[in-house]
Amino acid sequence: MAGADFAGDVATSRAPTDSRDGRAGTAIVDPASFRDPRGVVFRRDGVVYRQIDRSFEGDWDALFATGLYEDLTSAGLLIPHLAAPDVAPISDDALTVIRPQAVEMISYPYEWSFGQLRDAALVTLEAHARALGRGMALRDASAFNVQFQRGRPVLIDTLSFGLSQPNAPWRAYRQFCSHFLAPLALMAYRDPRCGLMLRGHLDGIPLDLASRLLPIRTRLRPGLLSHLHLHARAEGHAPSADLRRRAPRMTRIRHLALVDSLRRTVEGLRWEPAGTVWVDYEETTSYDPTARAAKRRLVLQFLEQAGGQCVWDLGANTGEYSRIAAGLGRFVVSIDGDPAAVERNYREVRQSGEERILPLWIDLLAPSPSVGWAAAERPGLLERSDADAVMALALVHHLALGGGVGLDRILDLLARIAPWAIVEFVPKSDPMARRLLADRNDVFPDYSLEGFHAAASRRFDIVADEEIPGLERRLFLLRRR
């Protein structure tokens, strides 16, 4: 690994104050920032900063002198920052302190759809190609150095760029292949759920493992043959240090040819979101046009009443109701456990130019845990929550009747996520609920409208309770006590 700074420059602008030390002015170091001691990320009074150490001075000056910083930020490839000369550094060897532009929600590669990971790979390659054109290079190619901002992937690690060494191989080549190319190939040729392997392989999927798992026919693809299969074989026969010594002289032309080959290989990978249970769910539910229009009006009304800036849409499917919240100017984390539904949601975000929706692929029955060093390097989903409102539309019956989670636990989760909740209750008599119960015994005696009222009332005030016309379903607006 090429000394990757997985923390990058930013953290969410809405992260709660670290409870370990609430004193004003105290610097709280980001738990993922230890991998690059030259540029520590820290938070002071709720604001995210980054200290640049003097050991990075030459590369830091070159980033601006070559015009690369301006090129990347103006193109939307790198997160911009402001100088923070009045902010005290956290150690004596500081060169400067910067205040990076914050993103609304930190997400991780194992929470992205195929298209999101593919776009993140292409942004990484484009940034590296531009750096080469200015005598610099991207030294880290970690997928964790990318975040989604305004609907698009953007690099967040300013310190990943350094002066290129003449004729030297690209030091981040293997990292790019294991963080991007290997999971993308597995998702395209085997199953999109292979993307979850990144949760257990934070340093990237081992190339030898990816090579063994991929079908034989991928060896007929020149890019995959070269960058994955032969790459994995070479690693198996020699230590990485020997590989670097044996690598051919990497002139600028050869380096750009490598980047172009990787780009064409990534662009050639395809996966179409079809064939899953939920991808066409919106078109196959119990709603007729009148009921759907009524539900949309109620959701809009409840969102306006709840107010706030950030909404989590749980079980969002392809994002129909996420778009209602986004239309009100809210930032929406649009979560679903079906990779095809999330992919369709993301494609709509890209096609429409939507900037306020972040689709994420997360199973609520097994959400992203805290992983990495000391189980703190990559915070779990709930540790990143700071929503003003949460929506759970056509979801509770799936969690309760399909997943066996009691109403008390479901309402506990919603109360933990946000002070306001918009929740749809689907009775057992509903066709979709009957489908869930078709192949199992009904062992859910507390799942009823009365049971929902009781569970909700222990945590929330029930502000509104409206029936969706033409259905037995009800929509609730809840305010946490």
Side-chain angles (χ1 to χ4, degrees):
M1 197 172 68
D5 173 19
F6 288 171
D9 287 355
V10 302
T12 174
S13 61
R14 300 176 55 78
T17 302
D18 194 311
S19 60
R20 290 173 296 172
D21 196 328
R23 293 175 296 170
T26 300
I28 307 298
V29 175
D30 188 282
S33 189
F34 68 92
R35 290 185 182 267
D36 190 348
R38 300 171 304 166
V40 177
V41 177
F42 63 96
R43 185 184 301 273
R44 180 174 281 136
D45 295 333
V47 180
V48 177
Y49 300 98
R50 192 173 199 188
Q51 174 177 302
I52 315 300
D53 287 359
R54 294 190 181 279
S55 60
F56 197 74
E57 185 171 4
D59 291 324
W60 184 253
D61 290 343
L63 180 66
F64 300 94
T66 61
L68 180 58
Y69 173 82
E70 176 63 29
D71 182 17
L72 295 175
T73 53
S74 62
L77 299 173
L78 177 68
I79 205 81
H81 67 257
L82 297 173
D86 297 330
V87 175
I90 61 175
S91 64
D92 294 335
D93 52 357
L95 172 68
T96 187
V97 175
I98 62 173
R99 179 178 178 176
Q101 182 184 88
V103 298
E104 287 286 353
M105 172 71 177
I106 294 293
S107 61
Y108 298 126
Y110 44 81
E111 299 170 337
W112 300 342
S113 72
F114 175 85
Q116 288 173 296
L117 185 62
R118 185 172 176 268
D119 285 351
L122 294 173
V123 160
T124 300
L125 291 174
E126 176 64 19
H128 181 49
R130 292 188 182 221
L132 291 173
R134 296 179 181 269
M136 300 192 75
L138 187 59
R139 298 182 298 189
D140 300 324
S142 165
F144 290 94
N145 281 346
V146 180
Q147 287 297 322
F148 281 81
Q149 180 81 320
R150 297 176 181 171
R152 301 293 186 272
V154 59
L155 289 167
I156 63 169
D157 187 10
T158 312
L159 298 191
S160 284
F161 296 92
L163 289 165
S164 61
Q165 301 300 316
N167 301 320
W170 186 26
R171 61 184 291 184
Y173 171 53
R174 182 196 178 280
Q175 191 176 48
F176 179 88
C177 292
S178 60
H179 274 250
F180 291 110
L181 191 55
L184 284 169
L186 289 168
M187 294 171 82
Y189 281 96
R190 284 302 187 191
D191 192 291
R193 291 169 294 184
C194 289
L196 289 174
M197 293 173 64
L198 286 168
R199 196 161 82 181
H201 295 281
L202 298 182
D203 290 341
I205 297 176
L207 299 185
D208 64 322
L209 176 60
S211 180
R212 287 197 299 270
L213 292 177
L214 286 168
I216 293 176
R217 70 180 187 275
T218 58
R219 288 165 170 78
L220 301 177
R221 296 284 303 275
L224 295 179
L225 174 64
S226 173
H227 302 304
L228 280 184
H229 295 295
L230 295 181
H231 194 167
R233 182 183 299 178
E235 281 194 332
H237 286 84
S240 57
D242 290 343
L243 287 176
R244 288 194 293 270
R245 283 195 297 269
R246 298 177 188 175
R249 290 168 60 86
M250 186 64 72
T251 64
R252 181 173 176 272
I253 293 176
R254 294 187 70 170
H255 204 148
L256 289 172
L258 172 66
V259 174
D260 183 63
S261 175
L262 287 168
R263 180 188 292 112
R264 286 185 284 107
T265 302
V266 170
E267 289 176 341
L269 295 172
R270 296 282 189 273
W271 176 69
E272 290 303 319
T276 65
V277 174
W278 306 111
V279 70
D280 296 316
Y281 181 78
E282 295 292 350
E283 285 72 38
T284 59
T285 56
S286 306
Y287 292 105
D288 59 27
T290 300
R292 176 168 296 202
K295 178 178 174 179
R296 290 177 61 88
R297 286 195 299 271
L298 285 172
V299 169
L300 175 61
Q301 174 187 327
F302 288 176
L303 283 168
E304 290 176 333
Q305 194 166 348
Q309 298 177 342
C310 179
V311 175
W312 280 27
D313 186 2
L314 307 183
N317 198 263
T318 56
E320 177 181 357
Y321 296 95
S322 295
R323 284 165 177 78
I324 294 177
L328 293 173
R330 315 289 166 78
F331 172 73
V332 187
V333 182
S334 191
I335 295 172
D336 201 87
D338 180 76
V342 178
E343 177 70 8
R344 284 197 180 179
N345 193 356
Y346 177 66
R347 291 187 183 188
E348 176 62 25
V349 166
R350 288 301 308 262
Q351 183 177 355
S352 66
E354 175 59 63
E355 297 184 350
R356 297 183 179 274
I357 296 177
L358 173 63
L360 292 181
W361 171 36
I362 298 172
D363 180 0
L364 291 174
L365 292 172
S368 304
S370 296
V371 294
W373 180 253
E377 189 178 356
R378 304 281 166 240
L381 175 68
L382 298 180
E383 280 65 46
R384 286 172 273 152
S385 67
D386 190 32
D388 299 303
V390 57
M391 296 195 296
L393 307 175
L395 173 68
V396 170
H397 60 301
H398 290 289
L399 297 178
L401 304 181
V405 182
L407 291 174
D408 278 325
R409 294 181 181 274
I410 295 171
L411 272 298
D412 280 342
L413 175 67
L414 300 181
R416 178 177 175 181
I417 292 173
W420 288 86
I422 300 170
V423 188
E424 182 176 2
F425 181 79
V426 177
K428 290 180 181 179
S429 57
D430 185 274
M432 299 305 293
R434 290 202 302 268
R435 184 184 301 181
L436 291 170
L437 291 170
D439 297 324
R440 63 186 306 176
N441 294 326
D442 185 352
V443 293
F444 311 103
D446 295 330
Y447 185 87
S448 64
L449 184 58
E450 294 75 16
F452 180 85
H453 269 276
S457 297
R458 283 190 281 272
R459 299 148 185 87
F460 295 93
D461 292 322
I462 299 177
V463 178
D465 172 3
E466 298 286 345
E467 184 177 27
I468 299 174
L471 298 174
E472 297 180 73
R473 299 183 176 200
R474 305 191 71 85
L475 207 61
F476 290 83
L477 176 61
L478 310 175
R479 181 176 56 214
R480 189 174 62 200
R481 289 179 176 172

